[in-house]
Amino acid sequence: MARPLRPAAHPRSAIFAPLGDEGRATRVEKRIAEAIYSGVLADGERLPSEPELAAMLGVATVTAREALVALRAQGLVTTTRGRGGGSFVNRPRHPDDAVLNGRLAATSNVELRDRATLYGVIVAGCAEVAAAYAAEEDVALMRELVLAPDETDAARWRHADAELMLSLAALTQSARLTRELVRLEAAFGALVRLPLMDPGFRTGARLRQVALLDALECADGDAARVQARDHVVQSLAWLLAQKAALPGSGATSDSGGH
Amino acid sequence: MTVQATHDLEPPAAVVATYFSDVFAHLDAMRAAMEALFANGPVSAAEVSDAVAPMAARTLADPRRMGAGFVAARRALSDKALYLAWWQGENRQLLAEAEAPDSGDALDYTRHEWFRVPERTHRPHVAGPYVDYVCTDEYVLTATVPVLVDDQMVGVVGADTLVETLELMVLPSLRAVGEGATVVNGAGRAVVSQSPRIATGSRVDVARSREALGCGDLEFAVVIPA
């Protein structure tokens, strides 16, 4: 019997591989921060000790310590003393738009497209398969997740959209496909739903959600696939435009520029 | 549904009925204990966990069970809005809270069939087959029994069984019947089928089935499809 894994195992060796020389503490910090945001390092997971971390990354212990101090300051790591103590991953709840914009600015266009491609293929595949299994009552339950057009809370839009995608995956009756989506949600879900801060984007997203559910109800796998895919394509287009409008790389401006 | 007993559907029906009556015997003991606990006034998440832990462990002593425990109704506990005193997996790990993978937000499990049906009917229910992304991330059947205090549901006690586990138990007797014999749930979805053409989770036209036999008190039935 397979043990459920959440998030699934990743090529973790890349995180702890030796680094070059310049700006080492910052690079250690950035690499670990990205691993936490993407879910490669799980919430609550214990990080290696300072000397272990230093040895793995090929940096001085003081450098590892400096990086951990910075991660603590960002709230990404908590440290406890005494027996059973250590540094633990603290995955941010509700990362705010400034943090997400910072992540967006720090992600290359190539990586954004790459992640969106994989996520889009999985979501579109889920939609196509789900259409074959969806009964009226399944679709009725999912319709409850579609928010009123005048809802203004971006966090609610994000949560509802995430639940819709998870429900869609579950409808495929495939545990492996669902776990794959869960893994991608942890790595990319927060970014793919950043556009829901934009009321104009929400209007379009809501129409796509409704069209997707209509397609499921008609057991129209082709239409369901197209709608699901477009949902991700539109999000990627918004993210690339937003990123282009953000001042400088690594900036954390939340000015929107849209 | 015509019930002409040209094939003996009793053995597979009995396998399903016997398995779940054993599950429900465990759940009924848990339900009685939970009702007694809640009858004494406000209950915290820690208190409910302590009370249900040994009973969940007894249920999970049978390796065919994937998870078991008590899941609170919204705001039924004194200190948590949503809470799962639920143990699962090979390590029988406590779940406590279910989170959305992208944001870490609490997932509202009260929308799911295993919670919603007993809440509406006040009756035991077997939900599924469904992919459970709240708890196990597996393809499961979840048996739940409502815990009622003053006719209000304060939560459910339940146990998960992998669909695969039930398949291993019931497929030999379905094969002995032949004719595409299929176990279906109350919604007419295939749970286990002897037919290579009927996928688990797909809908079977139960009304047109040639023969059918209910699985004891369950909403499940063994049918020979048209």
Side-chain angles (χ1 to χ4, degrees), chain B residues 136-173:
Chain B
T136 57
D137 288 348
E138 294 283 357
Y139 198 39
V140 296
L141 294 157
T142 303
T144 44
V145 174
V147 177
L148 302 168
V149 176
D150 297 330
D151 214 35
Q152 283 283 309
M153 191 175 95
V154 295
V156 295
V157 289
D160 286 335
T161 302
L162 290 176
V163 179
E164 190 180 14
T165 302
L166 195 73
E167 178 183 307
L168 293 173
M169 279 191 277
V170 76
L171 194 54
S173 53

Side-chain angles (χ1 to χ4, degrees), chain A residues 113-131:
Chain A
R113 284 185 202 279
D114 188 20
R115 287 189 183 276
T117 299
L118 178 57
Y119 182 82
V121 165
I122 295 295
V123 166
C126 285
E128 181 175 349
V129 177

Side-chain angles (χ1 to χ4, degrees), chain B residues 18-218:
Chain B
T18 305
Y19 176 71
F20 280 105
S21 79
D22 181 39
V23 171
F24 280 121
H26 279 273
L27 295 185
D28 220 45
M30 285 165 74
R31 175 198 56 78
M34 288 298 102
E35 285 179 356
L37 182 67
F38 276 88
N40 293 331
V43 182
S44 69
E47 284 169 333
V48 88
S49 285
D50 288 347
V52 80
M55 310 188 84
R58 274 200 290 283
T59 308
L60 293 172
D62 185 329
R64 293 176 298 179
R65 260 74 100 174
M66 174 78 190
F70 169 83
V71 182
R74 193 177 275 280
R75 281 182 287 278
L77 296 178
S78 57
D79 56 348
K80 298 258 189 211
L82 295 168
Y83 190 75
L84 305 103
W86 191 271
W87 290 263
Q88 66 182 30
E90 276 165 21
N91 306 326
R92 305 316 197 196
Q93 212 167 16
L94 175 65
L95 189 64
E97 271 148 87
E99 294 176 348
D102 63 330
S103 62
D105 283 348
L107 277 179
D108 180 9
Y109 49 72
T110 63
R111 353 176 2 259
H112 293 271
E113 180 191 348
W114 52 264
F115 188 92
R116 194 178 270 215
V117 172
E119 185 182 41
R120 191 183 68 231
T121 63
H122 285 192
R123 302 259 313 135
H125 180 67
V126 180
Y130 71 105
V131 179
D132 167 32
Y133 63 81
V134 177
C135 300
T136 57
D137 288 348
E138 294 283 357
Y139 198 39
V140 296
L141 294 157
T142 303
T144 44
V145 174
V147 177
L148 302 168
V149 176
D150 297 330
D151 214 35
Q152 283 283 309
M153 191 175 95
V154 295
V156 295
V157 289
D160 286 335
T161 302
L162 290 176
V163 179
E164 190 180 14
T165 302
L166 195 73
E167 178 183 307
L168 293 173
M169 279 191 277
V170 76
L171 194 54
S173 53
L174 289 174
R175 290 167 71 105
V177 175
E179 300 285 325
T182 302
V183 177
V184 296
N185 70 9
R189 283 190 191 260
V191 181
V192 183
S193 179
Q194 182 266 330
S195 167
R197 289 183 305 279
I198 298 176
T200 295
S202 65
R203 280 162 290 162
V204 174
D205 191 347
V206 176
R208 289 181 54 227
S209 57
R210 283 150 47 208
E211 294 175 45
L213 179 67
C215 302
D217 299 335
L218 300 172

Side-chain angles (χ1 to χ4, degrees), chain A residues 172-189:
Chain A
T172 65
Q173 317 290 312
S174 166
R176 282 184 173 77
L177 187 48
T178 306
R179 286 198 289 268
E180 191 58 26
L181 183 74
V182 165
R183 194 179 71 76
L184 294 175
E185 283 289 348
F188 192 52

